[in-house]
Amino acid sequence: MSEGKKYVYGFEEGDGQNKMLLGGKGANLCEMTQIGLNVPPGFTITTEACLTYLDNPDRELPAGVMDQVREQMRNVEANTGKTFGGSENPLLVSVRSGSAMSMPGMMDTILNLGLNATTLKGVIAQTGNERFAYDSYRRFVQLFGKVALGVPDEAFDAEFEDVKKKAGVKQDLGLSARDLHEIADRFLDVVERETGRSFPDDPMEQLEIAVKAVFNSWMGKRAVDYRREFKITPDMANGTAVNVQTMVFGNMGNDSATGVGFTRDAGTGENVMYGEYLTNAQGEDVVAGIRTPKPVAMLADEMPEQYKGLVALRNKLESHYREVQDYEYTIEKGRLFCLQTRNGKMNATALVRTSVEMVREGLINKEQALLRIQPEMLEQLLFPQLDPSVTATPMARGLPASPGAAIGHAVFDADRAEVLGRGGQRVILVREETKPEDIHGFFASQGILTSRGGKTSHAAVVARGMGKPCVAGAEGIHVDVQMRKAFVGGATISEGDLITIDGTSGDVYLGEVAMKEAEFSAELDTLLGWADEFAQLEVMANADTPDDAARAVEFGAKGIGLCRTERMFNAVERLPLVVEMILAENTGDRQAALDKLLPIQRGDFKGMLKAMAGKPVTVRLLDPPIHEFLPSEHQLEEELEQLVHLRETVAGMNVLSDAVEFMYRTADTHPSVDRLADPRLVDEAIEKKETMLRKVRALSEVNPMLGHRGVRLGITFPEIYSMQIRAVLEAAAECTREGLDVYPEIMVPQVCTKQELLAVKRIVDSVKQAVETHYGVEVNFKFGSMLEVARACMRAESMAEVAEFFSFGTNDLTQATFSFSREDAENKFLPLYNEAGILQDNPFEVLDVKGVGKIMELAVGWGRTTRAGMKMGICGEHGGHPASIGFCHRIGLTYVSCSGPRVPVARLAAAHAALTDDTAHAGAQSV
Ligand code: PEP
Ligand code: MG
């Protein structure tokens, strides 16, 4: 490593765009300084210094770093007129981490660095505020002790509480300068006791230790867990920078304040001043939720001049960054400083609204509006809300910190929430306030409830980022973690009790309150309309009922890409007909059962075609092995055993009845014995069950998913497919006669040869002719094939001679490509494979682009060699996964099809795919 390397940049010289080197915060501080915001002076030590330091087994800072720090410190001294370690006008600094990706609260921060006996005197002389000076000092000793020297908080807390008790005060604000002085002295003793050495006095030594501590925190458990959870890889953020910045004080009296703000409402996205502040306080008081802060609107009355300055700051931030900013500020003796700003993390509601409004305000264009929202986030908008027609009385009310409603069992610590949540229970994490170390509890919970803290407290910020409902600062609730209970007025929430929280209103309810499906907002509609303008892929829905189809249209589906007809057979009134069809011993009996099913299926298809009028409806012929409609062999054996017992019991009861009759023949009265059942009925039931058992045994297969299913079934029992094809075409003919514009498509599953397709096509052709003759109308439809068998993909060129469209069934195709059973892999070995890094993702969730995707890409090319511009789509689960959708776009598919509620996600993902594709695919086709 060259000694001449530059590791430290002043805010006025660093490259504001180089986040990898300076971290997001550092780069921003440079940019903010350079655009003329009133930023307290400082400098940034690079991520490169961090990585070099972490690589060094002796944990020494790279050569030259401290010299450059000293040089920068001289600049800051010159800028501020203060002296680091000076007794007259001492310079104190904050030391903060900051990597290329924002990781709120995941790494450590030290404030008031530079305080010691000498500088403390200077602060007292300068401010005339002894209380403030000792307050700053005790905060610094504790933070430095904890973060840099590893002294546990409890050791300090015990002393703090002790002094508070001695002084007879309840609130920290009630402590006098003397009390705080005593606390600071006790804290210095705590450090000496716990570490075996006295607290470092030399400010430069403090700074060096602090820089190392921040670097070390990059590899701390919290930060590592966070990166793993949010899949932050080294090419996204590698190491943390350290920002050293002049301290400004919000706790210098009532003309001082500290606050955090969003340039728009972070919950709703509304274009208003938004945030909270505390007078006479330090920044950490707001974020940690130690005191409940005031809404920023109150600042307009309390400090009108500074409020005006804040509005100007906010406007400057937005017009410069063209993105909603999350900023921190301090007012020191009436002077407003902007401490930091970053892109605001928002929930989906706010993201969508701000996207649409910022386009209308001319701040950004449509492309930017679409790209600033990760498609997955839209799922949040489909979260249930409390049903407004239900009038439940809340037991408590807090701040609406992150919208959406959630129901779960109350749990009072993060570890327990994790255990129960992973076990499949719905839990709500209930805390007085949350800390970064609670993060694993957030992941496992449906929602978060805290009794302290504001809308920008840790709980609120983290929950919003995750899109989880959160009610914060519900002060009417007293949480007792030891007792694992919370008390609200006269009521008690015990651990395990069901509670409902409404993060949109801030209400908390005991028990379960009815929820209502979310609805599309006008802004979301607009945004998705823009998405459709850019997307090349059409987004279809997988839907099996007319109701699902209608919902899919509301979500913006351009058609039905997969209707799994077997799901229509499972309704209670239909199953007996299906069973009758399966049990039939000859074609005639089977046909009789199918004749009863025909009008039912026709009705279903008519409903779907009507719901989707003007759009394609792809009906897949029966796919699963038919024994799936029958009870299992084991169940039938048990039932038979019971029936045989019953037969003996019935016979015994009949004997008893006859005997009683005989014994009391001459008596005036005699006891009566009920005959349990008609023995013929029992015999009939036994016979039916035996027939069914024989059939189940006959149909039993070692490997049913690779056995007698799909087109194989259709070829061996052509009357089944024939009925389904007739139902589709008759439904279409009836709709056409009613003047509707319908586009049915018939799709064959599990095909592996062209001959199979031809066999089904022959049925289709003859049914078509019969239906057209009968109805006197022409029936237009497409005939196509699933591609979900490896061989079919390899023979796509030949398959395309018969099929007019292909739909990749990537659930089965993944199974076939990996030879992983899709029923077993996910709960057997896949988690281990992921953990061990053998596979990066679950291939049933995220399309395996390298293997399965390669086969798809080849099949697309081969298919279109035969049939230019052939319509091709995907209907496996991957059709709703954003990254997989990106791949589908790149290989030139025509459409993706996914479950209804994923449609908005897929529409946005399709737009992202098009907008981020700089080699616009020549093969992309429209329907
Ligand atoms: C598929 O295999 O991807 C598919 C859509 O069919 P199913 O999941 O019904 O087997
Ligand atoms: Mg399949």
Side-chain angles (χ1 to χ4, degrees):
M1 187 58 55
S2 120
E3 294 224 347
K5 191 164 195 98
K6 187 160 174 68
Y7 285 116
V8 188
Y9 290 83
F11 292 163
E12 56 293 327
E13 60 178 349
D15 172 1
Q17 302 309 311
N18 197 346
K19 293 189 176 180
M20 282 308 279
L21 184 70
L22 302 174
K25 204 176 291 169
N28 256 337
L29 285 166
C30 294
E31 194 174 359
M32 286 161 66
T33 305
Q34 291 161 32
I35 62 170
L37 299 178
N38 196 21
V39 177
F43 52 89
T44 302
I45 310 172
T46 63
T47 56
E48 210 172 35
C50 171
L51 296 177
T52 312
Y53 165 79
L54 290 173
D55 262 355
N56 181 340
D58 299 330
R59 290 289 155 99
E60 289 296 334
L61 290 173
V65 166
M66 284 313 290
D67 288 339
Q68 293 178 32
V69 164
R70 271 183 275 276
E71 189 188 321
Q72 289 293 343
M73 196 58 96
R74 281 192 289 278
N75 286 344
V76 174
E77 286 174 334
N79 257 336
T80 56
K82 301 182 180 202
T83 314
F84 195 46
S87 59
E88 295 289 302
N89 185 10
L91 170 64
L92 304 181
V93 295
S94 65
V95 180
R96 295 170 199 266
S97 61
S99 72
M101 299 288 291
S102 161
M103 294 165 59
M106 284 303 115
M107 290 181 293
D108 297 321
T109 290
I110 296 172
L111 304 171
N112 298 326
L113 190 138
L115 273 177
N116 58 21
T118 313
T119 53
L120 194 62
K121 283 202 192 93
V123 174
I124 296 170
Q126 208 183 24
T127 60
N129 190 341
E130 204 177 348
R131 187 187 184 284
F132 154 67
Y134 282 111
D135 191 34
S136 303
Y137 194 36
R138 63 98 188 170
R139 286 169 194 268
F140 166 58
V141 176
Q142 175 165 5
L143 254 178
F144 191 92
K146 177 188 169 187
V147 170
L149 305 172
V151 180
D153 263 339
E154 295 75 57
F156 295 110
D157 292 345
E159 299 292 341
F160 191 79
E161 289 307 319
D162 200 37
V163 175
K164 241 166 106 175
K165 209 154 131 198
K166 223 175 68 181
V169 297
K170 284 212 158 57
Q171 301 279 333
D172 299 1
L173 275 174
L175 290 166
S176 67
R178 259 192 40 214
D179 299 330
L180 291 163
H181 188 161
E182 182 176 349
I183 289 170
D185 283 346
R186 286 189 184 210
F187 280 9
L188 291 170
D189 291 343
V190 166
V191 170
E192 187 151 359
R193 204 165 58 230
E194 294 278 331
T195 64
R197 49 164 291 192
S198 58
F199 191 86
D201 259 349
D202 172 22
M204 242 340 140
E205 188 191 349
Q206 291 174 356
L207 184 54
E208 184 167 354
I209 295 173
V211 169
K212 287 180 176 176
V214 174
F215 283 166
N216 287 333
S217 72
W218 177 253
M219 292 313 293
K221 184 177 178 330
R222 257 188 287 152
V224 171
D225 282 353
Y226 190 96
R227 292 200 292 277
R228 192 185 312 115
E229 183 66 29
F230 290 100
K231 299 196 167 44
I232 298 177
T233 55
D235 58 333
M236 295 156 81
N238 206 3
T240 180
V242 177
N243 300 296
V244 179
Q245 191 176 21
T246 306
M247 284 292 299
V248 286
F249 294 97
N251 56 350
M252 274 198 169
N254 287 336
D255 57 352
S256 300
T258 185
V260 291
F262 256 73
T263 51
R264 301 190 184 215
D265 185 321
T268 66
E270 194 185 349
N271 190 358
V272 288
M273 286 293 282
Y274 181 85
E276 289 157 330
Y277 73 101
L278 278 171
T279 30
N280 199 11
Q282 290 246 89
E284 68 192 43
D285 298 338
V286 182
V287 178
I290 289 163
R291 280 163 54 192
T292 301
K294 301 180 237 186
V296 69
M298 287 175 73
L299 191 70
D301 293 332
E302 226 174 325
M303 298 185 196
E305 276 310 305
Q306 287 70 19
Y307 182 77
K308 265 192 226 152
L310 197 63
V311 172
L313 167 66
R314 167 222 187 219
N315 294 345
K316 190 159 193 170
L317 286 173
E318 271 217 351
S319 60
H320 177 76
Y321 289 101
R322 293 167 190 275
E323 178 53 279
V324 175
Q325 295 294 297
D326 169 0
Y327 61 104
E328 291 182 16
Y329 59 92
T330 284
I331 299 168
E332 185 185 85
K333 292 201 165 291
R335 220 175 135 204
L336 172 68
F337 290 92
C338 182
L339 302 189
Q340 62 163 305
T341 184
R342 58 186 168 209
N343 289 348
K345 275 182 186 266
M346 280 169 282
N347 62 36
T349 309
L351 270 170
V352 169
R353 179 164 177 179
T354 50
S355 262
V356 172
E357 292 188 350
M358 289 199 300
V359 170
R360 290 186 180 143
E361 291 159 22
L363 270 181
I364 55 175
N365 61 26
K366 288 183 190 174
E367 288 92 323
Q368 289 163 324
L370 292 165
L371 287 172
R372 69 191 276 277
I373 306 176
Q374 284 314 304
E376 285 288 356
M377 299 244 355
L378 295 189
E379 274 238 310
Q380 283 174 30
L381 297 177
L382 311 164
F383 283 163
Q385 306 287 319
L386 290 191
D387 184 343
S389 63
V390 176
T391 46
T393 313
M395 71 184 311
R397 177 165 292 173
L399 298 167
S402 179
I407 299 171
H409 300 274
V411 174
F412 293 97
D413 73 90
D415 290 345
R416 211 172 157 76
E418 185 178 38
V419 172
L420 297 177
R422 289 235 166 114
Q425 265 208 40
R426 294 176 304 169
V427 298
I428 305 277
L429 180 61
V430 184
R431 304 282 289 161
E432 198 156 63
E433 62 193 285
T434 62
K435 296 202 168 146
E437 46 265 40
D438 291 326
I439 191 83
H440 55 298
F442 279 66
F443 295 135
S445 302
Q446 308 296 117
I448 318 294
L449 168 62
T450 67
S451 61
R452 284 215 309 234
K455 279 199 227 167
T456 35
S457 64
H458 175 263
V461 172
V462 175
R464 268 204 304 277
M466 290 183 180
K468 299 207 175 195
C470 173
V471 174
E475 289 178 340
I477 301 181
H478 170 69
V479 179
D480 190 327
V481 175
Q482 253 65 46
M483 289 177 72
R484 313 197 80 80
K485 284 183 192 308
F487 303 96
V488 195
T492 306
I493 304 173
S494 301
E495 188 149 82
D497 285 352
L498 264 185
I499 56 171
T500 302
I501 60 167
D502 183 357
T504 312
S505 68
D507 287 335
V508 180
Y509 303 84
L510 195 57
E512 199 163 334
V513 179
M515 301 261 190
K516 174 183 154 292
E517 298 274 322
E519 277 165 16
F520 258 31
S521 67
E523 285 97 359
L524 180 59
D525 226 25
T526 305
L527 186 92
L528 290 176
W530 294 342
D532 296 346
E533 285 172 23
F534 292 100
Q536 284 168 27
L537 284 166
E538 298 264 24
V539 179
M540 312 270 188
N542 294 354
D544 313 315
T545 64
D547 280 352
D548 283 353
R551 193 131 36 92
V553 174
E554 283 169 25
F555 286 128
K558 292 284 178 340
I560 300 297
L562 173 64
C563 166
R564 291 175 161 104
T565 49
E566 56 271 15
R567 299 210 176 148
M568 295 170 161
F569 284 166
N570 278 325
V572 255
E573 71 283 6
R574 299 171 182 200
L575 202 54
L577 294 176
V578 178
V579 171
E580 196 183 318
M581 168 191 88
I582 297 168
L583 294 183
E585 294 293 350
N586 54 56
T587 316
D589 288 352
R590 188 169 310 112
Q591 191 57 54
L594 287 167
D595 288 346
K596 290 185 218 160
L597 279 171
L598 175 73
I600 297 174
Q601 285 250 285
R602 186 173 53 222
D604 289 337
F605 295 142
K606 229 176 134 176
M608 304 275 293
L609 288 168
K610 279 186 168 172
M612 302 303 294
K615 303 183 178 73
V617 174
T618 310
V619 174
R620 181 178 74 184
L621 301 175
L622 195 66
D623 184 21
I626 46 177
H627 72 70
E628 279 193 8
F629 297 103
L630 299 180
S632 71
E633 182 175 0
H634 179 67
Q635 185 188 340
L636 283 168
E637 283 168 348
E638 271 190 2
E639 286 172 359
L640 262 171
E641 201 178 316
Q642 284 164 354
L643 283 171
V644 169
H645 277 139
L646 179 66
R647 178 158 61 186
E648 281 169 16
T649 311
V650 168
M653 292 301 284
N654 288 348
V655 172
L656 176 64
S657 176
D658 291 347
V660 167
E661 191 76 26
F662 181 78
M663 286 186 300
Y664 290 89
R665 205 168 25 191
T666 54
D668 292 341
T669 58
H670 63 74
S672 73
V673 176
D674 286 341
R675 285 177 192 264
L676 269 184
D678 180 350
R680 276 171 314 178
L681 216 56
V682 182
D683 283 342
E684 205 183 312
I686 290 176
E687 204 186 311
K688 257 258 172 343
K689 293 279 174 198
E690 278 174 345
T691 312
M692 210 182 275
L693 181 59
R694 266 198 308 279
K695 198 78 189 179
V696 166
R697 284 180 177 149
L699 293 173
S700 141
E701 291 173 302
V702 175
N703 221 333
M705 290 305 275
L706 303 178
H708 197 183
R709 63 175 287 208
V711 67
R712 278 123 30 205
L713 197 65
I715 287 175
T716 41
F717 300 109
E719 53 282 7
I720 299 178
Y721 270 20
S722 184
M723 179 280 284
Q724 290 198 296
I725 293 164
R726 179 175 293 277
V728 175
L729 298 186
E730 287 185 353
E734 289 183 10
C735 288
T736 306
R737 280 223 302 219
E738 288 170 27
L740 289 168
D741 202 14
V742 293
Y743 297 91
E745 304 192 339
I746 294 170
M747 180 162 77
V748 193
Q750 299 293 328
V751 181
C752 57
T753 81
K754 181 174 95 174
Q755 277 64 30
E756 285 171 327
L757 267 188
L758 279 171
V760 181
K761 182 75 170 34
R762 277 194 288 274
I763 305 176
V764 169
D765 289 342
S766 85
V767 173
K768 171 182 155 67
Q769 212 167 31
V771 170
E772 286 184 342
T773 310
H774 179 79
Y775 284 88
V777 290
E778 198 184 332
V779 186
N780 288 316
F781 66 97
K782 280 196 164 78
F783 178 73
S785 177
M786 297 275 290
L787 288 193
E788 52 183 343
V789 170
R791 191 182 190 281
C793 294
M794 305 316 280
R795 301 290 297 143
E797 204 169 336
S798 133
M799 305 273 286
E801 288 166 15
V802 186
E804 293 169 273
F805 68 91
F806 286 153
S807 178
F808 287 98
T810 45
N811 302 335
D812 275 312
L813 191 57
T814 300
Q815 166 169 271
T817 308
F818 279 85
S819 281
F820 286 175
S821 155
R822 58 193 259 202
E823 270 70 29
D824 303 309
E826 282 172 302
N827 44 23
K828 291 275 185 340
F829 53 87
L830 268 183
L832 180 79
Y833 263 43
N834 293 146
E835 228 158 82
I838 295 171
L839 281 178
Q840 253 195 346
D841 296 300
N842 170 356
F844 291 103
E845 212 173 273
V846 181
L847 188 71
D848 162 52
V849 165
K850 292 181 187 153
V852 180
K854 188 77 202 163
I855 295 177
M856 291 169 69
E857 192 173 6
L858 290 170
V860 169
W862 290 329
R864 290 195 177 137
T865 309
T866 302
R867 198 181 280 272
M870 186 174 181
K871 174 179 175 178
M872 296 191 193
I874 177 176
C875 62
E877 289 313 300
H878 311 89
H881 179 262
S884 313
I885 292 172
F887 176 76
C888 292
H889 166 91
R890 291 195 293 280
I891 62 169
L893 291 194
T894 323
Y895 70 92
V896 297
S897 187
C898 56
S899 68
R902 293 293 292 183
V903 166
V905 174
R907 287 168 72 191
L908 184 55
H912 276 212
L915 290 169
T916 53
D917 176 7
D918 32 36
T919 59
H921 200 279
Q925 304 296 320
S926 59
V927 183

